[in-house]
Amino acid sequence: MVEEVPVAEYARPVDWPDVPLVDTDVHITPRSIGALVPYLQARWRDYLRESGVSGLESDLYPPRSPLSAIPGARPADGPPASDPELLRAQLLDPWRLHLAITHCIYGVDGIHNPDWAVAMARAVNDWQHTEWLTGEPRLRGSVVVAAQDPASATAEIDRVGDRPEFVQVLLPVRMRAPLGTRAFWPIYAAAERHGLALAVYAGGASGNPVTPVGAPSYYLEEYVGLSQAFQAQVVSLICEGVPVRFPDLPIVLVESGFTWLPPLMWRLDKNWKGLRREVPWVDRLPSEMIRESMRLTAQPLDAPHDEPARLREVLDRLGSDRMLMFATDYPHHQFDDPTHAAPAGLSADARFLGGNALATYRLE
């Protein structure tokens, strides 16, 4: 049994064009850690039972907070985003989605035992492939990896990367080291080899503070501070030359916001001009590399809805109509008003609604 599903409140706006709509940020999660047990080897089943671990859910969205999910998204026997039928009833059908890109934000990155982390990543991938992706042709998934062990992460990408249901590799923005670090390059090489994108999502439990000056006191600080983590990762990826070394690897920033990006591009360009000899592999303006290689999901929208002129200016300063991709962030509360699901002027843009995602994930 599930709560009543308020379908009519969450539907594709009637004035949107009838074009293929691709949602690039849809969450799925196991109903409990027990859902993953059938996909674990006997050793790790015993390990879970003996350790008493009850779950690895992300704490970025407190599960009992009314702002963490829309009404009706929580099934009676699990957390929000754990029921495929609810996903169909609340999102896929009323929005008439062509495709939805799913993310399983599970706490594999916070596990300090690398062998257990690898086992859990493998179980999550087999679970989502079997129980979500193969049964719904409108879904495409994200490969979860244990980046604590890049060699094993690479092997996991090689194991599942050719399954057509997977379109990207998922890493948290809060990593143990900057994403441009060379230890992660084998992961990027494997993703590129299998035609997958790299998705960097808002979350992670690396043990490092989210701000550059230490750990914050409050959840509000934590939530707002995630944009700083995304800025640091963009700078790292560009300065370490990841887009140059892996030119066929799209990089998708998930739930990052985007209004912070134009000032960052300007600042990075300005300082690169004086320090470019330090990073000779950055062979053109960093802003050009960002526009070519990086894409951003458009929810949560970090701009005022009642000031379209200012938002339009931000979009113009991005300097590209290929970078933003439609997203609902289902079932989180950013999804609560369909009229705010598109930045000003983009609700009729077929590239934003689906074309950019189809190109990014090579689904055309």
Side-chain angles (χ1 to χ4, degrees):
M1 295 181 61
V2 298
E3 301 174 10
E4 183 179 352
V5 182
V7 175
E9 297 180 38
Y10 312 109
R12 182 173 180 161
V14 295
D15 58 341
W16 283 19
D18 187 19
V19 298
L21 185 62
V22 181
D23 189 340
T24 54
D25 183 20
V26 176
H27 293 264
I28 63 173
T29 194
R31 294 193 182 219
S32 70
I33 201 167
L36 302 177
V37 168
Y39 303 97
L40 289 168
Q41 295 176 343
R43 169 194 176 189
W44 298 111
R45 296 179 191 177
D46 293 341
Y47 185 90
L48 283 184
R49 184 177 64 255
E50 294 167 4
S51 64
V53 174
S54 59
L56 297 172
E57 290 80 6
S58 169
D59 61 358
L60 185 60
Y61 289 89
R64 296 299 175 184
S65 170
L67 297 179
S68 291
I70 59 172
R74 182 189 300 276
D77 57 349
S82 63
D83 188 307
E85 291 306 319
L86 269 180
L87 179 67
R88 293 187 184 96
Q90 287 193 318
L91 181 68
L92 297 181
D93 294 339
W95 280 82
R96 305 194 311 279
L97 288 182
H98 179 64
L99 291 170
I101 312 300
T102 63
H103 307 103
C104 182
I105 310 302
Y106 210 57
V108 171
D109 63 289
I111 297 174
H112 292 279
N113 178 337
D115 296 323
W116 181 32
V118 169
M120 293 303 294
R122 185 183 181 103
V124 168
N125 291 329
D126 288 342
W127 162 81
Q128 63 174 317
H129 185 261
T130 300
E131 301 190 23
W132 286 81
L133 305 179
T134 57
E136 174 51 73
R138 290 172 289 184
L139 297 183
R140 296 293 185 275
S142 307
V143 180
V144 174
V145 297
Q148 301 93 317
D149 182 351
S152 295
T154 299
E156 179 65 7
I157 296 169
D158 286 334
R159 185 179 76 90
V160 301
D162 284 338
R163 298 178 184 179
E165 293 83 7
F166 287 115
V167 295
Q168 62 188 7
V169 174
L170 198 60
L171 290 177
V173 70
R174 294 183 64 180
M175 292 282 285
R176 288 172 168 79
L179 282 170
T181 303
R182 300 181 186 200
F184 298 132
W185 290 3
I187 296 175
Y188 307 152
E192 185 181 54
R193 184 163 62 248
H194 292 280
L196 304 173
L198 170 67
V200 182
Y201 70 88
S206 66
N208 296 325
V210 70
T211 79
V213 293
S217 301
Y218 304 106
Y219 174 71
L220 172 60
E221 297 175 87
E222 182 95 3
Y223 192 88
V224 174
L226 280 169
S227 64
Q228 301 173 43
F230 275 104
Q231 293 179 58
Q233 297 294 19
V234 168
V235 172
S236 174
L237 288 163
I238 294 300
C239 289
E240 296 278 3
V242 170
V244 175
R245 293 179 171 89
F246 307 100
D248 293 326
L249 178 70
I251 301 169
V252 180
L253 308 183
V254 180
E255 295 186 45
S256 64
F258 59 86
T259 59
W260 51 266
L261 186 54
L264 181 70
M265 290 195 294
W266 178 87
R267 186 178 183 87
L268 195 51
D269 282 355
K270 174 181 179 295
N271 289 286
W272 170 80
K273 291 174 182 178
L275 299 170
R276 58 191 298 179
R277 292 174 61 184
E278 186 180 26
V279 287
W281 44 83
V282 182
D283 56 1
R284 54 196 181 279
L285 284 171
S287 60
E288 293 181 15
M289 296 173 63
I290 290 171
R291 292 186 181 103
E292 291 169 5
S293 63
M294 294 190 177
R295 304 292 178 260
L296 303 96
T297 66
Q299 288 291 346
L301 181 60
D302 58 338
H305 295 286
D306 56 353
E307 299 184 43
R310 291 180 63 185
L311 180 55
R312 186 71 253 175
E313 181 180 359
V314 172
L315 296 175
D316 290 342
R317 289 184 181 278
L318 277 177
S320 172
D321 57 11
R322 298 184 301 162
M323 296 183 70
L324 291 185
M325 303 188 297
F326 169 75
T328 61
D329 193 20
Y330 176 88
H332 298 147
H333 222 276
Q334 285 83 2
F335 177 70
D336 62 353
D337 189 346
T339 63
H340 292 166
L346 293 184
S347 61
D349 190 323
R351 290 163 298 188
F352 167 74
L353 296 177
N356 289 342
L358 293 174
T360 297
Y361 296 114
R362 302 174 176 90
L363 297 170
E364 295 177 294

